[in-house]
């Protein structure tokens, strides 16, 4: 048995969660504890999963307080040397933990660890990125900036070696020791969904904790199962990406840079959503959610 607690946050991702749990059960060496925090799925399915997967420690959240909050709740129930935060739409190969954890035990300077993630078609999903700055909320500018100023952080560079060091790693697979999780004070619960993984990595960087990508290990990750269940949820989560980016800016930027970053994000997202909203009603719905949020945010800054 491996001294690791695996924390999975679920919201109505039952079919993918079932596959994930089966992959954990089929590991050559079992995790000491597997914890699933259900974020108030409230669809009558949880009870059947509790009966089917009796070896799982189930936590029924009384509200959907978000990913970060549920991760912290699960971590509090772990009491293991290692913690692995894992999305329900992932599947681990049978020898993953058996080889990964002993390897990581040899390297105390590997702090926040992730592995290669492939989609169902076998394509690398690149679960990492560079920290946000004042301009790179635009995908094109982010790619150009990385290519020109941070060539070691390009996707090509990240897959060129067995071990690379991204600035931030995705919350879909985050492996770290309990002591470092405690040092970071866990996940920041101000982030309901999105950017909480970037924030965790940013705080790790500030404490000189390395973020590591191990390309010789891999798992399957089917993106967006919870966030794309229906049109309404998709609209809410798309709006949440922008809200969370503002929260990140508010937390990690300072002075005039902070104000300019907020303004730039609002301006280009307003233009983008307004133009796309002419042909796509969902973009108009996202904008309806963001306008009162922006009004409140900028009223506080006056």
């Amino acid at each position: 048995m491996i001294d690791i607690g695996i924390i999975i946050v679920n919201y109505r991702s039952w079919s993918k969660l079932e596959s994930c749990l089966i992959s954990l059960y089929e590991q050559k060496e079992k995790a000491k504890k597997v914890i699933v925090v259900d974020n108030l799925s409230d669809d009558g399915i949880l009870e059947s999963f509790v009966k089917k997967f009796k070896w799982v420690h189930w936590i029924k959240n009384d509200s959907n307080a978000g990913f970060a909050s549920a991760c912290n709740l699960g971590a509090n129930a772990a009491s293991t040397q290692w913690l692995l935060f894992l999305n329900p739409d992932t599947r681990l190969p049978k020898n993953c933990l058996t080889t990964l954890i002993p390897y990581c035990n040899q390297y105390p300077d590997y702090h926040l660890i992730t592995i290669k993630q492939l989609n169902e078609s076998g394509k690398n999903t690149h679960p990492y990125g560079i920290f946000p700055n004042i301009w790179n909320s635009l995908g094109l500018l982010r790619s150009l900036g990385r290519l020109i100023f941070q060539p070691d952080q390009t996707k090509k560079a990240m897959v060129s070696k067995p071990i690379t060091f991204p600035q931030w790693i995705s919350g879909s697979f985050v492996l770290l020791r309990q002591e470092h999780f405690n040092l970071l004070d866990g996940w920041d619960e101000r982030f309901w969904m999105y950017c909480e993984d970037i924030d965790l990595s940013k705080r790790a960087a500030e404490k000189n904790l390395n973020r590591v990508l191990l390309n010789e290990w891999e798992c399957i990750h089917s993106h967006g199962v919870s966030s794309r269940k229906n049109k309404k949820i998709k609209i809410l989560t798309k709006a949440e990406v922008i809200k969370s980016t503002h929260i990140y800016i508010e937390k990690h930027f300072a002075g005039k840079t902070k104000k300019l970053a907020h303004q730039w994000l609002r301006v280009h997202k307003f233009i983008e959503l307004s133009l796309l909203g002419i042909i796509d009603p969902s973009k108009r719905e996202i904008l309806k959610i963001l306008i009162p949020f922006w009004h409140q945010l900028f009223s506080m800054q006056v």
Side-chain angles (χ1 to χ4, degrees):
M1 186 170 289
I2 302 173
D3 193 8
I4 184 173
I6 302 176
I7 298 98
I8 304 169
V9 178
N10 175 65
Y11 177 76
R12 300 185 181 181
S13 301
W14 300 111
S15 62
K16 293 296 183 182
L17 175 63
E18 183 173 21
S19 297
C20 178
L21 293 177
I22 290 171
S23 80
L24 297 180
Y25 185 77
E26 291 179 346
Q27 290 295 299
K28 291 182 178 179
E29 287 190 69
K30 302 292 191 295
K32 185 176 181 180
K33 201 163 191 179
V34 176
I35 301 161
V36 176
V37 182
D38 184 70
N39 254 349
L40 196 64
S41 290
D42 198 26
D43 54 6
I45 299 178
L46 174 62
E47 288 71 21
S48 64
F49 267 67
V50 173
K51 291 179 181 178
K52 184 172 183 177
F53 298 97
K54 295 181 180 179
W55 50 274
V56 173
H57 180 80
W58 294 91
I59 299 176
K60 185 177 180 180
N61 216 340
D62 56 6
S63 67
N64 188 349
F67 178 79
S69 175
C71 281
N72 287 338
L73 191 62
N76 288 338
S79 301
T80 51
Q81 178 190 3
W82 287 95
L83 298 174
L84 172 59
F85 297 94
L86 191 65
N87 273 16
D89 54 0
T90 56
R91 300 195 306 273
L92 304 187
K94 289 184 180 180
N95 66 343
C96 183
L97 298 179
T98 305
T99 56
L100 176 62
I101 300 306
Y103 177 82
C104 292
N105 278 330
Q106 300 176 56
Y107 297 93
D109 57 340
Y110 290 1
H111 302 123
L112 273 65
I113 302 161
T114 196
I115 62 176
K116 184 192 296 183
Q117 297 178 30
L118 308 176
N119 64 17
E120 297 289 349
S121 302
K123 184 178 179 180
N124 195 329
T125 62
H126 304 287
Y128 42 78
I130 59 173
F131 291 131
N133 59 44
I134 195 168
W135 301 116
N136 68 8
S137 55
L138 271 177
L140 178 60
L141 291 178
R142 182 166 58 250
S143 297
L144 286 174
R146 184 159 43 191
L147 183 63
I148 297 169
F149 301 110
Q150 298 166 311
D152 64 316
Q153 294 293 312
T154 62
K155 291 179 180 180
K156 183 177 180 180
M158 284 291 116
V159 300
S160 64
K161 300 176 183 178
I163 303 165
T164 51
F165 298 89
Q167 291 189 358
W168 63 263
I169 61 174
S170 169
S172 52
F173 186 112
V174 177
L175 174 68
L176 75 168
R177 295 167 180 84
Q178 178 86 244
E179 62 179 296
H180 297 129
F181 182 75
N182 295 336
L183 179 65
L184 294 169
D185 294 322
W187 299 82
D188 188 336
E189 298 182 10
R190 284 174 287 184
F191 296 91
W192 184 75
M193 190 176 185
Y194 301 112
C195 290
E196 67 283 305
D197 45 10
I198 306 175
D199 169 73
L200 187 73
S201 293
K202 180 68 172 177
R203 289 185 283 123
E206 291 169 350
K207 293 183 179 295
N208 296 315
L209 299 181
N210 292 315
R211 289 79 60 215
V212 183
L213 168 64
L214 301 178
N215 281 307
E216 294 187 347
W217 283 265
E218 62 186 40
C219 67
I220 301 297
H221 180 208
S222 305
H223 283 272
V225 173
S226 296
S227 60
R228 301 172 187 170
K229 293 194 74 67
N230 56 51
K231 184 178 177 180
K232 181 180 178 181
I233 291 176
K234 188 175 181 179
I235 289 169
L236 289 172
T237 53
K238 290 290 185 181
E240 197 62 34
V241 173
I242 301 170
K243 287 184 181 181
S244 294
T245 305
H246 279 292
I247 294 171
Y248 182 92
I249 290 169
E250 188 65 22
K251 180 176 180 179
H252 293 288
F253 289 46
K256 292 181 179 179
T257 301
K258 178 195 292 188
K259 291 182 179 180
L260 188 55
H262 277 309
Q263 291 284 8
W264 168 241
L265 180 60
R266 178 175 68 165
V267 167
H268 83 73
K269 286 300 179 183
F270 180 85
I271 294 172
E272 174 188 313
L273 292 169
S274 297
L275 292 175
L276 293 175
I278 297 172
I279 56 174
D280 186 349
S282 68
K283 304 300 182 185
R284 296 197 296 270
E285 293 301 314
I286 295 171
L287 195 56
K288 286 180 182 178
I289 295 171
L290 290 173
I291 286 174
F293 170 81
W294 280 330
H295 178 74
Q296 182 181 15
L297 175 66
F298 288 95
S299 295
M300 292 168 57
Q301 292 184 338
V302 173

